[in-house]
Amino acid sequence: MHMFFSRRQLVSIRTTRCRVASYLAFSILVFGAASCGVTEVEDLFPSFPTTHTLTSIPGLEYTVGEAVNETLPRATGGNPPLTYSVTPTLPTGLSFNATSRTINGTPTTPQPHTEYDYTVTDDDGDTSTIGFGITVAAATRSLGVCRAGLVLSPGDSCTVGSERFEVLPDGRGRLGFFTAGTGIYITVQGLSFAATRIPGTNTWRIDSVS
């Protein structure tokens, strides 16, 4: 039997009973005399589960000097073995272990939000990719209790009740689980808190705490 295949588009070809067959499956033309006992040719594509949280906003957030051990999702399907990669180069101090699918290490340098590709490749070259972000915050420098007029640079923080307000390396402000780009006006634990980002900078000013 003579077969002509385009690249990896065939899902399934089956021939039986020595019949002469002619199939057109996607861009693949198969013709000729089929021999007995030919089973099937399959090209399977790998994929990641739809329930993973890797792409949640704002993505993965780490802090300089704090150890990281992050496990990335496992793919299914495809023609084994499956191999994994992360591009571009991870923040300084971090590395990717393709066998365990983990990001490990201790970041040493702050990094603003940066986009990465997490890719799985199967044995015949089919791929699936997830895009996600990583931010590395500067080691936190506590300035004590937040008070009106206090100015904070990236990596600085102050406390509001039992919560902490901090400035991230990309210039966003964060209070507890709430993150904003230009201003935060919120009541937390009975305290009214207001802070704004100084235009054109990554520095924030505490406007009021009452």
Side-chain angles (χ1 to χ4, degrees):
M1 180 174 69
H2 302 284
M3 294 186 179
F4 298 87
F5 295 87
S6 67
R7 292 183 62 241
R8 297 188 300 277
Q9 298 299 311
L10 184 61
V11 175
S12 176
I13 296 176
R14 183 183 300 273
T15 59
T16 60
R17 299 184 183 178
C18 301
R19 293 179 180 174
V20 175
S22 178
Y23 301 89
L24 180 60
F26 296 96
S27 59
I28 300 172
L29 180 62
V30 180
F31 65 93
S35 61
C36 293
V38 174
T39 55
E40 65 179 17
V41 179
E42 289 187 284
D43 188 17
L44 305 175
F45 290 78
S47 62
F48 290 105
T50 57
T51 55
H52 70 80
T53 58
L54 190 60
T55 56
S56 62
I57 297 174
L60 303 180
E61 294 187 310
Y62 307 129
T63 301
V64 169
E66 296 183 4
V68 172
N69 184 16
E70 190 87 47
T71 300
L72 304 187
R74 181 192 302 274
T76 58
N79 297 295
L82 303 181
T83 58
Y84 299 87
S85 63
V86 173
T87 55
T89 303
L90 289 170
T92 304
L94 297 181
S95 61
F96 177 66
N97 185 316
T99 301
S100 60
R101 311 183 323 281
T102 54
I103 296 175
N104 296 289
T106 302
T108 60
T109 305
Q111 174 179 290
H113 182 89
T114 302
E115 288 295 318
Y116 289 86
D117 285 332
Y118 174 49
T119 301
V120 59
T121 305
D122 74 358
D123 187 55
D124 63 352
D126 299 320
T127 64
S128 181
T129 298
I130 299 174
F132 69 100
I134 293 180
T135 301
V136 179
T140 301
R141 181 172 68 113
S142 178
L143 301 181
V145 177
C146 296
R147 62 186 184 280
L150 185 65
V151 175
L152 296 85
S153 300
D156 291 344
S157 69
C158 59
T159 58
V160 183
S162 62
E163 297 290 343
R164 183 177 69 172
F165 172 74
E166 60 182 320
V167 180
L168 302 175
D170 61 2
R172 291 176 300 151
R174 180 166 63 189
L175 178 62
F177 294 104
F178 182 78
T179 302
T182 58
I184 294 178
Y185 310 91
I186 195 170
T187 298
V188 54
Q189 298 175 358
L191 295 173
S192 296
F193 173 84
T196 53
R197 183 173 175 173
I198 298 174
T201 73
N202 287 344
T203 301
W204 284 64
R205 179 179 58 249
I206 307 300
D207 296 322
S208 65
V209 181
S210 58

